[in-house]
């Protein structure tokens, strides 16, 4: 076991190193990323870089899928299918790939927040397809962590993946508060379905807001007047007695995800406490982990 670093010199990588040295699940964590468009590094990337997870990603955008295929490691498997409820559907490939969706943009809703410019009908390609559900895919194993960002299709993923998600410990999903696509489910719809499947809201990783349109935009600072909540990323976790119902592996996956994916080290400490009570990790592991916290998270006596 690595010696603890000096408090106040902490970095998330050092926290993760403590966990990596002590936690030994029976297999790497299985991360499912629906909407894996590589516009930015995903929050699980440090776990992937450390060999702690295997990623099963879905990306129907042909260009984005090719990018993923070119850069993938042996711990990444990507599918070109769109995930959703089966049937003859249309994928609306927006020129800004982050806006591509199984749902067309809602002009009325966007006009109400001054974002009609997001609609690019002349440059949006319509691609016919037939989505698959997670439960239809024999090659996809049960999922430990689900990440979703597919512009309105998140509810369809949940409803078509009840079996694959039965052992999932955490879900990181984009949620919408103000509709930008026609008939897309909003935050309340996703929250209700996730609760029905045995999850509870843990936190918002971030939320984004926009300024309401008005005739005085040349007189104000837009970033200071963004009052309309638009969307964000939410984290859901298993709503159960973890000490009684979660396996050792599930507790390890949750500890790793909480530390690295959604920055909830207090949750990691709870998982370590339960694992320690079962004799699965050393009793001083939590103290070693805490030693890597930044000084502002520690009591004064712990920094001396």
């Amino acid at each position: 076991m690595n010696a603890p670093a000096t408090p106040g010199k902490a970095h998330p990588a050092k926290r993760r190193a403590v966990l990596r040295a002590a936690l030994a699940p029976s297999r790497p964590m299985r991360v499912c990323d629906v909407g894996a468009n590589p516009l930015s590094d995903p929050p699980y990337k440090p776990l992937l870089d450390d060999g702690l997870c295997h990623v099963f990603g879905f990306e129907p955008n042909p260009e984005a899928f090719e990018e993923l295929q070119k850069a993938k490691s042996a711990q990444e498997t990507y599918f070109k299918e769109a995930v959703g409820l089966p049937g003859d559907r249309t994928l609306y490939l927006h020129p800004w790939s982050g806006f591509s969706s199984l749902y067309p943009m809602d002009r009325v809703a966007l006009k109400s927040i001054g974002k009609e410019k997001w609609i690019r009908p002349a440059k949006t390609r319509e691609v016919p397809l037939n989505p698959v559900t997670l439960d239809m895919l024999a090659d996809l194993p049960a999922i430990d962590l689900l990440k979703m960002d597919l512009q309105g299709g998140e509810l369809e993923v949940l409803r078509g993946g009840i079996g694959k998600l039965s052992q999932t410990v955490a879900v990181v999903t984009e949620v919408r508060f103000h509709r930008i696509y026609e008939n897309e489910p909003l935050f309340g719809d996703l929250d209700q379905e996730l609760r029905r499947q045995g999850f509870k809201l843990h936190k918002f990783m971030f939320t984004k807001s926009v300024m309401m349109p008005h005739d005085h935009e040349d007189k104000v600072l837009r970033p200071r007047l963004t009052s309309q909540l638009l969307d964000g990323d939410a984290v859901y976790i298993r709503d159960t007695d973890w000490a009684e119902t979660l396996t050792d592996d599930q507790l390890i996956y949750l500890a790793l995800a909480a530390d690295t994916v959604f920055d909830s080290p207090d949750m990691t400490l709870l998982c370590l406490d339960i694992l320690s009570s079962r004799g699965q990790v050393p009793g001083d592991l939590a103290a070693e982990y805490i030693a890597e916290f930044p000084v502002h998270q520690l009591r004064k006596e712990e920094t001396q």
Side-chain angles (χ1 to χ4, degrees):
M1 188 172 292
N2 298 329
T6 303
K9 302 293 185 180
H11 185 275
K14 294 181 179 180
R15 288 192 336 217
R16 192 171 64 257
V18 170
L19 300 178
R20 185 175 65 245
L23 302 180
S26 63
R27 56 167 174 76
M29 183 192 312
R30 295 167 181 159
V31 175
C32 181
D33 189 345
V34 185
N37 194 338
L39 296 173
S40 60
D41 287 343
Y44 54 76
K45 187 176 186 300
L47 297 179
L48 184 61
D49 291 343
D50 285 353
L52 296 170
C53 70
H54 190 107
V55 175
F56 299 86
F58 293 83
E59 180 49 63
N61 183 320
E63 291 81 9
F65 177 78
E66 287 305 316
E67 283 189 52
L68 291 166
Q69 287 291 87
K70 290 177 182 177
K72 74 174 184 177
S73 67
Q75 296 164 252
E76 296 167 83
T77 303
Y78 293 105
F79 302 86
K80 199 174 180 180
E81 286 90 351
V83 180
L85 298 181
D88 293 331
R89 307 285 294 278
T90 299
L91 175 64
Y92 298 90
L93 286 174
H94 196 280
W96 303 333
S97 62
F99 279 131
S100 295
S101 174
L102 287 171
Y103 295 80
M105 285 193 151
D106 188 325
R107 184 174 296 277
V108 173
L110 288 171
K111 181 180 179 181
S112 72
I113 56 171
K115 297 298 182 184
E116 277 186 284
K117 64 183 180 182
W118 288 354
I119 304 173
R120 298 293 179 95
K123 295 185 177 181
T124 296
R125 289 182 288 154
E126 298 185 10
V127 178
L129 50 70
N130 192 324
V132 299
T133 68
L134 296 180
D135 284 344
M136 289 170 58
L137 299 172
D139 292 339
L140 180 68
I143 297 162
D144 302 312
L145 172 72
L146 173 65
K147 175 190 170 294
M148 297 188 290
D149 184 354
L150 59 160
Q151 303 303 305
E154 291 82 5
L155 184 60
E156 295 188 31
V157 174
L158 295 173
R159 288 179 173 171
I162 293 174
K164 299 293 187 184
L165 299 175
S166 61
Q167 302 303 312
T168 300
V169 294
V171 176
V172 180
T173 179
E174 183 179 47
V175 293
R176 190 93 64 221
F177 304 105
H178 184 282
R179 185 171 284 112
I180 67 174
Y181 299 96
E182 292 180 9
N183 302 313
E184 70 168 322
L186 297 179
F187 167 66
D189 304 304
L190 264 69
D191 181 76
Q192 186 176 41
E193 180 63 23
L194 281 159
R195 290 179 184 277
R196 189 180 73 82
Q197 292 192 32
F199 297 93
K200 65 181 178 181
L201 179 63
H202 171 60
K203 69 187 292 186
F204 290 107
M205 293 177 68
F206 64 87
T207 59
K208 292 184 291 186
S209 300
V210 296
M211 184 174 74
M212 298 298 290
H214 52 80
D215 294 334
H216 316 283
E217 296 185 13
D218 60 332
K219 300 180 178 64
V220 300
L221 292 174
R222 180 180 294 271
R224 305 282 177 87
L225 275 83
T226 54
S227 65
Q228 175 57 55
L229 201 57
L230 181 65
D231 55 26
D233 278 3
V235 178
Y236 282 77
I237 57 174
R238 275 290 161 199
D239 188 8
T240 185
D241 183 343
W242 297 352
E244 295 295 327
T245 62
L246 295 191
T247 67
D248 294 343
D249 274 356
Q250 286 178 308
L251 287 166
I252 291 172
Y253 301 143
L254 191 53
L256 291 170
D259 172 78
T260 305
V261 178
F262 48 88
D263 192 28
S264 295
D266 52 332
M267 181 183 295
T268 298
L269 285 169
L270 173 56
C271 293
L272 298 183
D273 285 346
I274 299 172
L275 288 166
S276 177
S277 71
R278 296 178 181 180
Q280 298 300 311
V281 299
D284 62 350
L285 179 58
E288 186 177 357
Y289 180 67
I290 290 171
E292 299 298 351
F293 283 19
V295 66
H296 72 270
Q297 291 181 329
L298 298 172
R299 289 181 177 270
K300 182 180 295 187
E301 56 268 26
E302 297 295 327
T303 66
Q304 297 173 345

